[in-house]
Amino acid sequence: MMHATRLSALALASCLLAAPAMAQTVNLYTTREPALLNPVLDAFTKDTGIKVNAVFLKDGLQERVAAEGANSPADVMLMVDVGQINALVDAGITQPIKSALVEKTVPAALRGPSDNWVTLTQRARIVVVSKDRVKQDAITYEDLADPKWKGKLCIRSGQHPYNNAFFAAYLTRNGAEKTEAYLKGLKANLARKPGGGDRDVARDILSGQCDIAVMNTYYIGLMSEAKNEQKSWYEAIKPLKSSFANGGTHVNVSAAAIAKNAPNKDNAVKLVEYMLGEKAQTLYADGNFEFPVNADVKESAAVKLLGTITPDTTPLGDVAKNRKAAANLVDKVGFDN
């Protein structure tokens, strides 16, 4: 009996010793590309000893976590676009991120309601112009509706998530009536039907089809390194310092949320905090020419290429709430017709 009891005690001790090792994992669900995230995740594991089990999904992340319910293994959900990340909150599958480091590092406007998500990197949406035909260096978004640009503006679909977020930010700042008038002004200035991608507007500036356009900054970075015709598109444009009147630059985000039923909550917080550190911010942001959210990171690839930005202080959680209303206004004025 003593021998059996001793074996049981040894077995229990062995389990207890093994438990912490088994617990040193964190499960990440993300819609980002593996090549962009893996360098950061490998560094996190090397520096903390916590293994990251990453599930890379093209789409359907919210639906999958919701379907898995209380038994979902998801700890951290990492997505691009404020509408997508805020939809996780609306679906009831997140929980507040309680972290002094998060509060210190990330401005309140770049965190979700009740800190249910947190920005990791920023993607500025700015105005670019023909380097040869336009001489100014700065602009307000409001100025895009000025008749002086009639027949000179190129932009992708007004219903694309990038423009939807931009118009929702305008709506949050100015209300429906002024936003409708703004959209009509933009439509009157179009050089062509809205469409294509952000890089296509640079191509159309090179060809002379338009003089001014709206695009995300990371596309400018990617074109700057291109080995094909996109390099000439990059060389034809000049990024302008872009902001709302009496405001800052409109940004969209990549952001992280902690799952409501996270089985490894402590490690989830550690991963989010790690991704806000200077080392990870540089690795992650530079992979796609995005702007770090950590103000202590001064030498990112995006900043070197485009200079610093001052993000607008309109809370992105409020912007997300206005996305449907913005989409309805785009349809009302026939923006994409």
Side-chain angles (χ1 to χ4, degrees):
M1 287 291 293
M2 284 292 291
H3 181 64
T5 302
R6 186 179 178 191
L7 282 175
S8 297
L10 286 171
L12 177 60
S14 177
C15 289
L16 290 173
L17 287 170
M22 291 172 62
Q24 294 306 300
T25 61
V26 63
N27 302 317
L28 171 68
Y29 282 25
T30 182
T31 54
R32 301 229 71 177
E33 293 292 328
L36 187 60
L37 269 179
N38 281 334
V40 187
L41 303 182
D42 290 345
F44 172 73
T45 298
K46 182 178 179 180
D47 290 344
T48 66
I50 301 171
K51 179 185 177 183
V52 182
N53 300 312
V55 178
F56 294 96
L57 301 164
K58 186 174 181 180
D59 48 37
L61 186 154
Q62 175 188 326
E63 292 78 9
R64 175 166 172 169
V65 175
E68 290 170 348
N71 295 319
S72 174
D75 293 309
V76 177
M77 299 172 289
L78 199 166
M79 304 179 75
V80 166
D81 181 67
V82 65
Q84 296 287 331
I85 197 77
N86 211 67
L88 303 180
V89 182
D90 292 341
I93 57 174
T94 65
Q95 61 176 292
I97 303 172
K98 297 178 180 178
S99 163
L101 187 148
V102 166
E103 291 184 17
K104 177 183 176 183
T105 306
V106 184
L110 299 178
R111 304 198 301 266
S114 302
D115 290 346
N116 270 262
W117 55 260
V118 58
T119 292
L120 300 178
T121 56
Q122 305 167 88
R123 305 143 68 92
R125 194 146 187 78
I126 67 167
V127 178
V128 299
V129 295
S130 166
K131 187 182 294 182
D132 296 331
R133 300 186 296 275
V134 180
K135 300 307 177 185
Q136 69 195 73
D137 297 313
I139 195 170
T140 65
Y141 297 116
E142 289 81 356
D143 191 48
L144 288 171
D146 191 304
K148 70 183 179 183
W149 301 116
K150 186 174 179 62
K152 297 180 178 180
L153 172 66
C154 285
I155 194 169
R156 72 194 304 167
S157 167
Q159 294 293 16
H160 189 277
Y162 298 160
N163 284 334
N164 177 237
F166 171 50
F167 296 149
Y170 195 98
L171 176 60
T172 305
R173 290 177 57 89
N174 297 290
E177 185 176 342
K178 289 183 178 179
T179 302
E180 182 177 343
Y182 179 65
L183 291 170
K184 288 178 179 177
L186 294 184
K187 181 176 171 63
N189 287 343
L190 291 173
R192 59 162 171 79
K193 182 178 177 179
D198 275 11
R199 277 176 275 211
D200 294 333
V201 302
R203 176 201 64 198
D204 293 344
I205 285 176
L206 173 63
S207 73
Q209 187 173 8
C210 45
D211 285 351
I212 189 166
V214 182
M215 66 189 306
N216 276 7
T217 44
Y218 70 90
Y219 287 115
I220 301 172
L222 296 174
M223 288 191 300
S224 75
E225 293 186 337
K227 306 297 183 184
N228 54 23
E229 72 274 11
Q230 291 185 19
K231 188 64 179 284
S232 64
W233 305 352
Y234 164 75
E235 292 169 345
I237 65 172
K238 176 172 64 173
L240 301 188
K241 186 173 181 60
S242 310
S243 64
F244 287 108
N246 302 312
T249 301
H250 170 65
V251 297
N252 210 322
V253 298
S254 78
I258 294 179
K260 179 180 180 181
N261 298 301
N264 304 292
K265 180 180 175 181
D266 290 347
N267 288 346
V269 173
K270 288 177 183 177
L271 177 58
V272 172
E273 290 180 338
Y274 184 87
M275 293 194 72
L276 293 172
E278 292 184 43
K279 177 179 178 180
Q281 283 275 288
T282 301
L283 277 173
Y284 182 43
D286 285 4
N288 198 41
F289 283 94
E290 295 174 4
F291 288 90
V293 74
N294 185 331
D296 291 334
V297 181
K298 307 292 187 185
E299 296 296 316
S300 71
V303 170
K304 288 177 182 176
L305 183 69
L306 298 162
T308 58
I309 59 168
T310 302
D312 193 52
T313 56
T314 304
L316 287 182
D318 293 345
V319 172
K321 292 175 184 176
N322 277 321
R323 293 191 68 154
K324 184 175 182 180
N328 289 341
L329 286 174
V330 166
D331 284 344
K332 182 178 179 181
V333 305
F335 190 85
D336 286 344
N337 296 344

